[in-house]
Amino acid sequence: MKTVIDLDTELTEAAAEVLGTKTKKETIHAALRAAVDAARRKRERQQRLINSLGSPDIADDEVMDGAWR
């Protein structure tokens, strides 16, 4: 699917350097993949913590919001 978007050139180039990508398409896909992977890892860490400690407050997103950052 083709989509036209306005990209920040400096940000795109900086992301490409960090991600080791060569094209804008590769850079965007790598950045999206990294964001999804980071969110998945965060959920997994939260779940491991919840499972290991058993405290009811740990499962409460409102109580733990600051701790997950």
Side-chain angles (χ1 to χ4, degrees), residues 21 25-41:
T21 55
K25 181 178 177 178
E26 287 176 347
T27 302
I28 299 305
H29 286 188
L32 292 171
R33 204 172 302 109
V36 169
D37 288 347
R40 179 188 47 77
R41 285 191 306 272

Side-chain angles (χ1 to χ4, degrees), residues 42 45-46 49-50 53 57-69:
K42 179 180 177 182
R45 283 193 312 271
Q46 289 173 339
L49 184 59
I50 290 166
L53 298 177
D57 285 344
I58 291 176
D60 186 335
D61 288 337
E62 191 173 316
V63 171
M64 296 304 295
D65 185 47
W68 300 129
R69 293 184 193 159

Side-chain angles (χ1 to χ4, degrees), residues 3-20:
T3 303
V4 177
I5 58 174
D6 183 25
L7 298 175
D8 179 318
T9 303
E10 289 180 14
L11 183 58
T12 305
E13 290 171 357
E17 187 175 323
V18 168
L19 296 166

